[in-house]
Amino acid sequence: QVQLVESGGGLVQPGGSLRLSCAASAHTFRSYAMGWFRHASGKEREFVASISWSGRSTYYADSVRGRFTISRDNANATVYLLMNSLKPEDTAIYYCAGARTVYEIVTPRTVSYDYWGQGTQVTVSS
């Protein structure tokens, strides 16, 4: 069983930045591709970004490409999401997720992920 704990959410003004962190309990963190998803009120959960186990490959939703950056620190079993130029429509609960794999993959598919965190609230408002 892998536990994922997100942190770093909060209230930020439009145009501002936040960095989310997701700490994993697994000593086999390198065996997981990681992803960030978000769930806004009244909407379905949507994919945000994914990173391969090595960190060499990344993939972003069109809505965040060029503004958000996903990265990981395998030595400290942590994945990050740096969010710049935030917009009110980025307001949501953000979840990190882990997908067990031996391949160099990134995936936006929810069903590919085996473990999920509890989420952290991000609110973009003036």
Side-chain angles (χ1 to χ4, degrees):
Q1 187 72 19
V2 175
Q3 291 187 327
L4 302 173
V5 179
E6 302 95 336
S7 61
L11 173 64
V12 63
Q13 292 187 341
S17 298
L18 280 176
R19 189 178 78 157
L20 305 183
S21 299
C22 173
S25 64
H27 64 280
T28 55
F29 184 68
R30 288 181 176 84
S31 301
Y32 292 84
M34 299 298 295
W36 286 96
F37 292 78
R38 65 187 181 186
H39 189 188
S41 179
K43 297 183 178 181
E44 294 187 354
R45 180 172 52 185
E46 66 171 339
F47 167 76
V48 176
S50 177
I51 188 167
S52 63
W53 69 267
S54 70
R56 289 193 296 266
S57 302
T58 58
Y59 181 67
Y60 297 92
D62 289 343
S63 58
V64 307
R65 187 174 291 115
R67 299 188 297 123
F68 290 12
T69 302
I70 188 171
S71 61
R72 65 189 294 159
D73 179 352
N74 284 344
N76 292 298
T78 303
V79 62
Y80 303 98
L81 185 69
L82 175 61
M83 305 184 294
N84 294 323
S85 303
L86 282 162
K87 305 174 182 180
E89 51 263 43
D90 294 317
T91 295
I93 300 174
Y94 283 71
Y95 300 88
C96 72
R100 280 193 306 264
T101 181
V102 296
Y103 301 108
E104 180 74 7
I105 66 164
V106 291
T107 175
R109 300 175 66 241
T110 304
V111 295
S112 298
Y113 292 87
D114 304 290
Y115 299 102
W116 295 80
Q118 293 301 306
T120 185
Q121 176 70 48
V122 171
T123 302
V124 185
S125 175
S126 55

